[in-house]
Amino acid sequence: MKTSLSWLREYVELPAGITASELDAALTNLGMEVEGIVDQAATVTGDLVVGRVLTIEELTGFKKPIRFTTVDVGRDTPQEIVCGARNFAEGDLVVVILPGGELPGGFKIGARKTYGRNSHGMICSAAELGLSGDHSGIIVLPSSVDAAPGADARPVVGLDEVLIEVEITPDRGYEMSVRGIARELATYFSVPFTDPGLTAAPAGTDAVPYAVDVQDTVGCDRFAARVVRGIDPDAPSPEWMQRRLVAAGIRTISLPVDITNYLMLELGQPMHVFDLNRLKGGLVVRRAHPGEKLTTLDGVARVLDVEDMVICDETGPISLAAVMGGETSEWQQGTVDVLLEAAHWDPVMVGRTARRHKLFSEAAKRWERGVDPRLSLVALERAVRILTSHAGGTADERILDIDHVASPAVVRLPATLASKIIGLEFSAARVAELLTRIGCDVSGDDELEVVPPSWRPDLVAPIDLVEEVARLGGYNEIPSVLPPAGASRGLTPGQRQRRSIGRALAENGYVEVLSYPFVAPGTADALGLAADDPRRSAVRLTNPLSEEEPMLRTSLLAPLLGTLKRNLGRGRRDVALFEAGTVFRPHLAATAPPALGVDRRPTDEEWATANAIVPEQPWHLAVVLTGDIDPAGWWGDGRAASWADAIEAARITIAAAGVPASRVTVRATEHAPWHPGRCAEILVDDTVIGHAGELHPSVIAAFELPKRTSAAELDLDALPAAPVIDAPLISTFPAALIDVALVLDRGIPAADVQAALAEGAGELLESVSLFDVYESEQLGADKRSLAYKLTFRAADRTLTSEETIAARDAAVAVTASRFGAVLRGA
């Protein structure tokens, strides 16, 4: 939604010196996302001044009319300017930008020679200043303008405006209007607000200006219309209207159409204008018939859906209601008699129609968010007054108003609910005050009876009213308090087991991926599953994210193979992936599950019946690998991944789960989608928990994978629970650190020396690590020095220096007796 500060000020008494940052903060705190606040004066830099045309010389010999002018711009000498426009005369006041200035769009102005004359600056049109879309000529200021040549032209032409652009949330359609934003700002700053929607308007009459039959009062619960005859078809839109429309991002078309767009922005009421003389017979408002077509204003012939609402005459549909009009009845150049329509349409219908036809017009955006149904006659009255005042014509005194609008329902709000949910104390009187400020009628004490205003169709439940209290009470006032953490036993055994498995596979070079659990209907065929394979029975989603993949996976392999193919397509050649997740094994049933309401808790029998149809969702783990498992390089040849590596991945998984190797059996078998001669089944305690090996060549071909691609899939839920390992005791006493450097034969492995030190140091040793290796001629031939850091600590006391030294000497003694080591420097 785009608008201007001056337009808002017509209806809300904002503080005189309000800054852009204050306005930004106010709109943000009201729940609107501010896209930008732009001072139009800054869009034109340099000197933009009023000038008076002194002389005009017509230049000849060019393909288009060119004028050489001299213009008084308040300087010692007149400014020479070449101009192509012809809609001005000597003595006229014009708008001039002098050399050094810059117009919107980055168009810089300088002094240059053109058409054989020197031109110093430019006489500007409204389009060049970004004020309108009119390129027909330059701006000629009226003689009544009180501005001398050389004066700043910005305030004269309206370039002193502040433009505001905000993003409106889908539930607040009333904010997509000057009326709505002004109301919100009045509430925020606690200043007076003049509601343009309460302007007095004549009521509908028994006699109607044009016959209209509304056949579907659900899709259209209000239809109002007025007729104006004899307007001037060439009457231009007033400059103030053009400027505001352009600032809002809407191009000007004609006075009748511009009026409807202007009132849509001002009031939030989309309207439509028909050429009265192009209508054939009375109008009918109904749902579209199957197969009906309509060519909309964008020139597209559309096949209508039976849910679409249309406005028809004797020839058929002439307008796609609330979205876009048709070509056959719209206003066109030369129209003198018009029918102005202001209706109220079902938001759900409009939203579906706009998406079905991909027509997201400004009107449709407002209708699907909700429009005030009480605005119809107000908008019509205002449209008729503007039209007749600028284009003449006679307004028909008859007014059509077919009104089936239901009154807003009463919402019962416990007075304490807002305090409980928001976390701040709100008295019943304070809640009533805040809700009254947004237009609600509030009564009651302990339980408030709230009638939302007609422009707030989003207020239908107590929680909606609580949200308004929080918003108006100030989101910034809500304390940031973390909820108390409840007692927790940490991860479950299954979660710990899955994490251990993931770490083990990652440490062995596998990369974890997360795939969508959706597969295509032909996945079972691609995997080569037998006709009676239970994995063929898959759950089909009623409302899938993609119609191409509406099934839930019964195996992790198909999505994982798709991920492998994608990586190969991105240039990866050596790939090893794994994924842990649920698969879905449905329970076939002859009856549908019971429909469970929300008005009460289901009975145990209903709950059991519903859950009996929920598919089993065991946790599986799958790995796939292709290319080299050991890459080739300067160090030697590589090794290609094979079925043995897939089996090894299964062994790693089982070991990480805490199952001893003695309980694991691997034996040959045949099982799709693996190669019959290169497939193994994995057993734990004689129970098959999965399979591993090389994929079948037909599966490899179906997924377009390299030859010898291997995979494994295990049922993690079938694994026995991991044993509980007692955590080691951690001493709180300080550690004693001693370094020892041992001289010994170069051929003795450092690891053997470290083991000997650990053996000799005894139970007081906490850790030992090698930190230095030194060799020199001074140590002797074939000798080297190994330096170790020894850390001693007791669980029940602080060690004395005598205890520490004794433990060190004992450690050195073992190395001396075993390897002939001596302390360096001893």
Side-chain angles (χ1 to χ4, degrees):
M1 174 65 191
K2 297 179 181 179
T3 187
S4 61
L5 185 59
S6 66
W7 202 351
L8 290 171
R9 286 188 182 277
E10 289 186 6
Y11 303 112
V12 57
E13 296 182 15
L14 292 173
I18 189 171
T19 63
S21 60
E22 291 172 338
L23 193 58
D24 190 334
L27 294 169
T28 301
N29 289 332
L30 286 166
M32 297 177 231
E33 182 180 348
V34 179
E35 297 286 340
I37 298 178
V38 178
D39 185 353
Q40 268 193 310
T43 63
V44 178
T45 61
D47 293 329
L48 185 73
V49 299
V50 174
R52 185 178 297 280
V53 180
L54 301 178
T55 63
I56 299 176
E57 178 185 352
E58 304 288 347
L59 302 182
T60 59
F62 301 103
K63 293 182 179 180
K64 60 180 181 179
I66 298 297
R67 290 174 148 190
F68 177 68
T69 68
T70 58
V71 184
D72 178 7
V73 293
R75 298 189 175 183
D76 294 338
T77 58
Q79 206 80 355
E80 297 179 337
I81 300 175
V82 175
C83 181
R86 304 188 60 81
N87 65 317
F88 64 99
E90 293 179 357
D92 283 345
L93 289 176
V94 294
V95 178
V96 178
I97 184 168
L98 299 178
E102 185 174 332
L103 293 172
F107 184 59
K108 296 182 178 180
I109 304 300
R112 63 193 180 98
K113 189 171 184 178
T114 180
Y115 295 102
R117 300 298 180 94
N118 292 322
S119 183
H120 301 272
M122 176 177 171
I123 304 176
C124 302
S125 70
E128 290 160 344
L129 295 176
L131 296 173
S132 77
D134 185 7
H135 292 265
S136 61
I138 55 96
I139 297 175
V140 177
L141 301 176
S143 57
S144 59
V145 169
D146 184 16
D152 187 2
R154 290 175 177 84
V156 177
V157 296
L159 264 180
D160 56 345
E161 186 61 271
V162 176
L163 304 182
I164 303 164
E165 182 176 2
V166 292
E167 186 68 26
I168 306 300
T169 55
D171 60 331
R172 300 187 185 277
Y174 68 98
E175 290 179 349
M176 294 191 73
S177 66
V178 173
R179 177 198 188 203
I181 297 177
R183 183 191 303 279
E184 293 288 271
L185 291 173
T187 301
Y188 184 86
F189 289 106
S190 299
V191 294
F193 167 67
T194 303
D195 188 353
L198 297 182
T199 305
T205 59
D206 294 333
V208 297
Y210 202 83
V212 177
D213 178 18
V214 178
Q215 295 182 354
D216 190 326
T217 57
V218 174
C220 176
D221 56 9
R222 189 168 193 180
F223 194 98
R226 295 191 66 176
V227 168
V228 180
R229 293 180 173 86
I231 66 172
D232 179 1
D234 299 321
S237 299
E239 290 185 8
W240 56 266
M241 181 181 292
Q242 292 190 48
R243 285 200 299 269
R244 286 179 172 178
L245 288 175
V246 171
I250 296 179
R251 67 185 181 93
T252 59
I253 299 173
S254 66
L255 178 58
V257 176
D258 289 351
I259 289 173
T260 61
N261 286 331
Y262 181 82
L263 294 179
M264 176 182 68
L265 295 174
E266 183 176 68
L267 300 176
Q269 169 71 56
M271 301 175 64
H272 200 67
V273 56
F274 293 97
D275 185 333
L276 189 63
N277 297 322
R278 301 178 72 191
L279 298 178
K280 308 297 182 183
L283 298 181
V284 177
V285 182
R286 59 169 172 81
R287 303 280 177 171
H289 295 158
E292 278 190 314
K293 296 181 179 180
L294 171 67
T295 300
T296 46
L297 282 175
D298 55 359
V300 177
R302 303 180 185 278
V303 178
L304 304 178
D305 187 88
V306 293
E307 189 185 15
D308 298 335
M309 290 289 294
V310 290
I311 301 175
C312 310
D313 65 5
E314 290 180 354
T315 64
I318 60 174
S319 176
L320 187 57
V323 178
M324 185 174 286
E327 286 186 334
T328 60
S329 62
E330 296 306 301
W331 176 93
Q332 60 183 355
Q333 193 65 37
T335 296
V336 294
D337 300 332
V338 295
L339 173 69
L340 296 167
E341 165 256 304
H344 187 261
W345 307 95
D346 175 34
V348 175
M349 178 276 297
V350 176
R352 290 177 177 172
T353 297
R355 283 159 179 77
R356 185 180 301 113
H357 296 284
K358 297 180 174 60
L359 273 177
F360 300 98
S361 63
E362 289 296 323
K365 292 176 184 178
R366 286 163 174 80
W367 284 120
E368 69 174 347
R369 286 165 170 81
V371 172
D372 186 354
R374 305 300 180 192
L375 285 175
S376 300
L377 295 181
V378 174
L380 283 175
E381 174 66 14
R382 185 143 163 71
V384 167
R385 288 184 180 180
I386 298 176
L387 181 60
T388 54
S389 64
H390 290 86
T394 303
D396 195 315
E397 295 182 356
R398 296 169 295 178
I399 300 174
L400 172 70
D401 184 19
I402 303 174
D403 188 356
H404 295 277
V405 176
S407 300
V410 176
V411 181
R412 301 186 183 280
L413 174 68
T416 58
L417 183 62
S419 300
K420 291 179 180 178
I421 293 179
I422 299 172
L424 293 173
E425 188 62 35
F426 288 96
S427 65
R430 176 61 172 163
V431 172
E433 175 199 350
L434 293 175
L435 294 179
T436 301
R437 285 167 58 184
I438 63 170
C440 296
D441 291 331
V442 185
S443 60
D445 295 319
D446 295 335
E447 183 178 72
L448 303 178
E449 293 185 354
V450 182
V451 179
S454 58
W455 58 85
R456 295 299 303 270
D458 57 305
L459 303 180
V460 296
I463 194 64
D464 300 326
L465 301 176
V466 171
E467 181 182 357
E468 286 300 290
V469 172
R471 185 173 70 95
L472 300 174
Y475 288 133
N476 295 333
E477 302 299 323
I478 300 175
S480 299
V481 180
L482 291 175
S488 172
R489 298 181 180 179
L491 299 176
T492 65
Q495 291 171 328
R496 285 196 296 269
Q497 190 180 65
R498 289 194 289 273
R499 289 195 179 185
S500 298
I501 291 170
R503 280 195 298 269
L505 289 172
E507 289 166 357
N508 281 274
Y510 289 85
V511 177
E512 184 176 13
V513 299
L514 297 174
S515 306
Y516 284 118
F518 313 120
V519 295
T523 299
D525 294 332
L527 292 175
L529 304 183
D532 58 348
D533 193 309
R535 289 173 292 174
R536 276 189 171 274
S537 179
V539 176
R540 186 181 186 94
L541 298 174
T542 302
N543 188 23
L545 291 180
S546 170
E547 292 296 340
E548 296 179 357
E549 294 182 332
M551 320 291 287
L552 289 176
R553 65 190 178 192
T554 58
S555 166
L556 295 181
L557 285 179
L560 194 55
L561 293 177
T563 302
L564 175 63
K565 176 183 176 182
R566 191 175 304 111
N567 278 270
L568 292 169
R570 299 296 189 274
R572 308 285 296 183
R573 289 294 176 262
D574 307 320
V575 185
L577 307 175
F578 81 93
E579 180 175 7
T582 54
V583 298
F584 303 85
R585 301 289 173 81
H587 295 151
L588 300 181
T591 60
L596 303 180
V598 295
D599 56 333
R600 60 177 176 81
R601 184 187 184 282
T603 64
D604 293 341
E605 182 179 356
E606 291 173 335
W607 187 249
T609 303
N611 277 286
I613 302 177
V614 175
E616 293 182 12
Q617 301 172 48
W619 272 85
H620 278 208
L621 178 131
V623 301
V624 294
L625 63 163
T626 190
D628 288 345
I629 194 72
D630 292 324
W634 57 265
W635 51 84
D637 296 333
R639 182 177 68 81
S642 68
W643 57 270
D645 295 295
I647 295 175
E648 180 61 21
R651 291 184 183 274
I652 293 171
T653 298
I654 295 172
V659 179
S662 59
R663 299 172 60 183
V664 181
T665 304
V666 178
R667 65 190 182 198
T669 189
E670 293 186 10
H671 190 74
W674 285 274
H675 193 295
R678 300 185 181 121
C679 174
E681 61 182 4
I682 316 298
L683 299 90
V684 174
D685 297 337
D686 298 326
T687 299
V688 178
I689 66 163
H691 299 81
E694 182 181 310
L695 292 173
H696 195 284
S698 65
V699 176
I700 291 176
F703 285 91
E704 301 177 0
L705 301 174
K707 296 179 179 179
R708 307 297 185 187
T709 298
S710 301
E713 183 167 14
L714 305 178
D715 183 354
L716 297 184
D717 285 354
L719 290 173
V724 178
I725 301 174
D726 293 334
L729 295 177
I730 299 176
S731 174
T732 59
F733 292 92
L737 307 178
I738 295 183
D739 296 342
V740 294
L742 303 175
V743 179
L744 65 171
D745 292 341
R746 183 181 298 165
I748 299 174
D752 292 348
V753 178
Q754 182 170 316
L757 288 171
E759 178 183 338
E763 63 181 9
L764 292 180
L765 182 69
E766 183 175 85
S767 65
V768 56
S769 60
L770 177 70
F771 71 88
D772 184 54
V773 178
Y774 175 72
E775 296 181 5
S776 73
E777 295 180 357
Q778 297 176 350
L779 296 178
D782 297 328
K783 295 288 186 179
R784 67 176 178 176
S785 171
L786 302 178
Y788 293 87
K789 184 183 296 294
L790 280 66
T791 302
F792 296 95
R793 196 193 308 264
D796 57 349
R797 67 188 186 283
T798 300
L799 293 177
T800 64
S801 58
E802 290 80 6
E803 290 177 304
T804 304
I805 294 173
R808 181 205 63 183
D809 292 344
V812 173
V814 173
T815 61
S817 62
R818 187 170 299 173
F819 306 115
V822 297
L823 278 173
R824 183 177 170 187

